[in-house]
Amino acid sequence: MAAVEAENPHLGQITCGSLLQQLQQIWDEVGETDEERDKMLLQLEQECLDVYKRKVDHAVKSRAHLLQTLADARVELTNLLSALGEKTYVGIPEKTSGTIKEQLAAIAPALEKLWKQKDDRVKEFSDIQSQIQKICAEIAGTSEPVESPVVDESDLSTKKLDEFHAQLQDLQKEKSERLHKVLEFVSTVHDLCAVLGMDFLMTVTEVHPSLNDSRGVQSKSISNDTLARLANTVLALKEDKKKRLQKLQELATQLIDLWNLMDTPTEERSLSGHVTCNISASVDEVTVPGALALDVIEQAEVEVERLDQLKASRMKEIAFKKQAELEEIFAHAHIEIDTEAAREKILSIIDSGNFEPVELLADMDNQIVKAKEEAVSRKDILDKVEKWMSACEEESWLEDYNRDENRYNASRGAHLNLKRAEKARILVNKIPALVDSLVAKTRAWEQDRGVTFTYDGVPLLAMLDEYVMLRHDREEEKKRLRDQKKLHEQLNKEPDSPFGSTPSPARQPSTKKVVGPRANGGANGSTSRRLSLNAHQNGSRSVNKDGRRDSRPGAPVNYVAMSKEDAASHVSGTEPLPNTP
């Protein structure tokens, strides 16, 4: 007890000793027995032990709590370092000596700083994740407000933060690309709407309200749905543009055809210049605002309908114009047609009223196309016919020139005729090969098409066959005359016969002249180009110089003589060409 009093000098007068002394006095006064006194003292000691015991237990618990707090602090420190991705921290004491409270005091500043660093890192993560969620929502097209992101505090390392930064940059790049696509689509829609004469704002706002120009660029929708709808809108507008352009080009073609048919003046055509200017343009080349507006197409349709009605009233004039074109094609191709019957048929169709002007003109256009195709197929043969006719003309001239006894006189122009005669002989020598080539090509043409090739209504093979036979007959006549002349010369060289007879003079050469195919009506006359067979079929006779008629059938006036080589080939056994019926 004395020890307790010595340790507690500040308790004043009330001490354990004074209280025990006071208790002794009270017992003395009361007269407590020693047994009672020992019992009470024992009880008092027990109560003091209980108090000490409670204090010790409390101290033990307090120490255990401090140790737990220190352990928790160390675990928290480790977790913070792990979460922040830090291996060590400068503020952490290396030594663990000292009391528990000293150790706690040493760790506390480091914990404070790490907690602050963690809070800052969590805020940074939250901001980045919020931006990521916002861009993802814009791409997804979500209209609901974005909730605050849940940050995973177990991993707040700079590596994780860099990953979020990289993800954010990728999303920002994708957003920029999507926004660029959206603006491109919107610009394309604007241009297409301008060309088609459509309301641009109404068109884009139907896709998404944010595409209105009054809103900022960053506020425009970049979702997959918006991009898909914009792409579909552009495709639909392009398809509409393509269809309208085709329609307008068809109308422009009809307008030009109608103008050409009716010889519409330039001033009237210029009124529809905005329609015909795009007749050969591609879809991408049409960029003028309003060029394909519906009212432009409607105006063109009205104009075409008006001209169609006007065309119906001028149908006869137009039909005869096409018939004249058809006849001109046939004339150049030397195809004989019944023009009067064709014109009467056109008149009867128009006068009947039971016809469609478009069908009639289309049928005539079809006839013109077929006639042109027929003319093209005949061109090669007709070119050779022209060469043959020119050669025959030169042959006819050469015969006249050879019969002129004064051809070698030094008259004016004689040297020119001599040069022409040289060229004519070269050309005449080519006639047989030209005729053979013409026959081969004509037969090939007839076999390919199954019809007879006629020249102004006369079968060309029949003409060539008769020409070859006439050349053969003429060469035979020349040979006979040469033989007769030789016999006459031999008789003149022999002495007079004992009977005193004199040889009869040889018959003079025939003055028959087989002229070229163009001799009937001149080189340019249409009649001269027909090689008629009438003269040969009627058995005409040629007249000799002595006034007598030759018993052989004469050559028709539109054929020429053939060369010696050709005649020799026929004399040697070559069959003449068969007559074509």
Side-chain angles (χ1 to χ4, degrees):
M1 300 297 286
V4 176
E5 292 178 359
E7 290 180 0
N8 296 283
H10 299 291
L11 293 178
Q13 298 296 325
I14 302 174
T15 61
C16 288
S18 63
L19 290 175
L20 182 58
Q21 187 178 3
Q22 187 178 358
L23 185 61
Q24 288 283 354
Q25 290 175 359
I26 294 173
W27 285 342
D28 289 341
E29 291 177 2
V30 172
E32 291 285 344
T33 63
D34 292 338
E35 187 177 330
E36 288 291 334
R37 290 183 182 188
D38 292 337
K39 185 179 179 181
M40 286 185 177
L41 288 174
L42 184 61
Q43 185 180 358
L44 184 61
E45 286 179 1
Q46 185 63 42
E47 289 178 359
C48 287
L49 287 175
D50 291 339
V51 171
Y52 277 110
K53 189 178 180 180
R54 285 196 301 271
K55 290 294 183 180
V56 170
D57 291 339
H58 179 71
V60 170
K61 290 181 180 180
S62 178
R63 183 187 63 181
H65 177 69
L66 288 175
L67 288 174
Q68 184 63 41
T69 303
L70 180 60
D72 292 342
R74 287 175 178 172
V75 171
E76 180 71 13
L77 186 64
T78 303
N79 292 336
L80 287 173
L81 291 175
S82 176
L84 295 174
E86 303 288 345
K87 294 182 179 180
T88 59
Y89 190 74
V90 179
I92 300 175
E94 296 181 359
K95 295 182 180 181
T96 59
S97 60
T99 63
I100 299 174
K101 289 186 177 181
E102 288 176 352
Q103 293 180 33
L104 283 173
I107 293 176
L111 285 174
E112 291 271 348
K113 292 180 180 179
L114 288 175
W115 280 332
K116 186 176 184 303
Q117 186 176 350
K118 177 184 177 182
D119 292 340
D120 294 340
R121 191 71 61 83
V122 168
K123 183 179 179 182
E124 192 173 356
F125 268 83
S126 179
D127 291 341
I128 293 177
Q129 288 181 254
S130 296
Q131 296 180 50
I132 291 174
Q133 287 183 356
K134 182 180 178 182
I135 296 176
C136 289
E138 291 178 358
I139 293 175
T142 304
S143 58
E144 298 177 358
V146 179
E147 297 180 357
S148 299
V150 178
V151 180
D152 182 12
E153 297 185 4
S154 64
D155 187 2
L156 300 175
S157 63
T158 54
K159 180 180 178 182
K160 187 69 174 178
L161 187 62
D162 291 340
E163 290 178 0
F164 278 118
H165 274 297
Q167 183 181 358
L168 179 60
Q169 288 178 355
D170 292 340
L171 289 173
Q172 287 174 341
K173 181 180 178 181
E174 183 179 356
K175 178 181 178 180
S176 177
E177 292 175 352
R178 285 171 171 267
L179 185 60
H180 182 67
K181 286 183 180 179
V182 168
L183 294 178
E184 281 187 348
F185 277 134
V186 170
S187 177
T188 304
V189 171
H190 179 273
D191 295 340
L192 290 172
C193 288
V195 174
L196 298 175
M198 299 173 61
D199 189 343
F200 164 68
L201 291 179
M202 184 178 70
T203 303
V204 293
T205 51
E206 286 179 357
V207 176
H208 198 277
S210 65
L211 301 179
N212 194 324
D213 285 339
S214 61
R215 300 198 176 187
V217 174
Q218 296 297 329
S219 63
K220 296 187 182 297
S221 173
I222 58 171
S223 66
N224 292 330
D225 181 64
T226 300
L227 286 172
R229 295 182 66 183
L230 276 174
N232 291 334
T233 301
V234 170
L235 288 176
L237 291 175
K238 285 185 176 180
E239 186 65 24
D240 192 15
K241 180 181 179 182
K242 181 180 178 182
K243 291 180 179 179
R244 291 194 189 186
L245 180 60
Q246 290 177 348
K247 178 65 175 177
L248 195 66
Q249 288 177 339
E250 291 175 359
L251 293 172
T253 302
Q254 295 177 20
L255 280 175
I256 293 176
D257 291 342
L258 291 169
W259 288 340
N260 293 336
L261 284 174
M262 295 183 287
D263 295 328
T264 304
T266 306
E267 294 77 9
E268 186 176 345
R269 298 188 183 193
S270 62
L271 298 177
S272 300
H274 60 289
V275 176
T276 57
C277 65
N278 295 320
I279 189 170
S280 60
S282 64
V283 177
D284 295 333
E285 291 175 346
V286 181
T287 57
V288 178
L292 301 178
L294 288 177
D295 57 346
V296 173
I297 297 177
E298 291 175 358
Q299 291 174 5
E301 289 176 342
V302 171
E303 181 64 14
V304 169
E305 184 178 358
R306 183 185 71 83
L307 292 176
D308 274 335
Q309 294 176 355
L310 182 62
K311 179 187 69 175
S313 62
R314 298 176 57 186
M315 199 61 209
K316 290 183 181 179
E317 177 184 350
I318 297 171
F320 284 146
K321 183 177 180 181
K322 287 187 176 293
Q323 179 63 24
E325 181 182 357
L326 184 63
E327 293 173 1
E328 183 179 0
I329 295 172
F330 282 135
H332 281 97
H334 295 278
I335 300 173
E336 191 175 58
I337 60 172
D338 191 349
T339 58
E340 292 298 328
R343 290 178 177 268
E344 289 178 1
K345 181 179 179 181
I346 292 173
L347 281 176
S348 63
I349 292 174
I350 295 176
D351 292 339
S352 67
N354 299 325
F355 77 100
E356 284 292 335
V358 176
E359 293 180 0
L360 176 60
L361 295 180
D363 180 64
M364 298 191 72
D365 289 335
N366 189 33
Q367 293 181 36
I368 291 174
V369 170
K370 290 181 178 179
K372 289 180 178 179
E373 293 175 353
E374 181 77 7
V376 170
S377 70
R378 295 166 60 93
K379 184 177 184 302
D380 192 17
I381 296 176
L382 291 177
D383 290 343
K384 290 188 177 296
V385 170
E386 290 293 327
K387 292 180 181 179
W388 174 51
M389 289 182 176
S390 298
C392 290
E393 289 178 359
E394 289 301 303
E395 185 181 34
S396 176
W397 177 87
L398 184 62
E399 287 183 355
D400 292 340
Y401 177 77
N402 290 335
R403 284 193 294 269
D404 186 4
E405 297 178 354
N406 299 322
R407 60 183 179 277
Y408 296 118
N409 292 345
S411 60
R412 183 178 181 182
H415 67 288
L416 297 178
N417 289 333
L418 185 60
K419 289 182 179 180
R420 181 179 176 183
E422 293 176 358
K423 293 180 180 180
R425 290 188 187 96
I426 296 173
L427 188 60
V428 168
N429 289 334
K430 295 180 180 179
I431 289 179
L434 181 61
V435 171
D436 291 341
S437 174
L438 191 56
V439 169
K441 285 186 175 291
T442 304
R443 284 178 174 170
W445 188 94
E446 291 183 349
Q447 290 176 0
D448 182 50
R449 295 186 171 255
V451 294
T452 302
F453 189 100
T454 60
Y455 188 92
D456 289 337
V458 180
L460 182 58
L461 287 178
M463 295 162 55
L464 295 170
D465 180 51
E466 184 176 358
Y467 170 77
V468 170
M469 289 190 296
L470 290 175
R471 285 176 66 94
H472 177 69
D473 292 343
R474 187 173 182 279
E475 289 301 323
E476 288 292 326
E477 174 70 11
K478 287 183 178 181
K479 182 179 178 182
R480 187 183 64 79
L481 292 177
R482 285 196 298 271
D483 293 342
Q484 198 175 43
K485 182 177 179 181
K486 288 180 182 179
L487 179 62
H488 177 67
E489 291 176 352
Q490 290 176 359
L491 292 175
N492 287 336
K493 290 179 182 179
E494 294 177 357
D496 294 338
S497 63
F499 301 98
S501 62
T502 60
S504 61
R507 188 172 60 177
Q508 295 295 326
S510 173
T511 59
K512 177 183 70 174
K513 174 183 176 182
V514 183
V515 296
R518 294 179 179 172
N520 266 347
N524 299 324
S526 60
T527 308
S528 68
R529 306 181 79 86
R530 291 196 186 187
L531 307 181
S532 173
L533 302 176
N534 293 335
H536 177 61
Q537 293 171 353
N538 294 335
S540 59
R541 301 290 186 269
S542 60
V543 181
N544 295 330
K545 284 185 178 180
D546 55 4
R548 294 178 297 169
R549 288 192 175 273
D550 192 359
S551 61
R552 296 177 295 103
V557 294
N558 52 358
Y559 286 91
V560 299
M562 60 189 254
S563 64
K564 297 179 180 179
E565 292 80 2
D566 193 23
S569 65
H570 286 281
V571 170
S572 63
T574 305
E575 293 183 2
L577 294 173
N579 283 328
T580 303

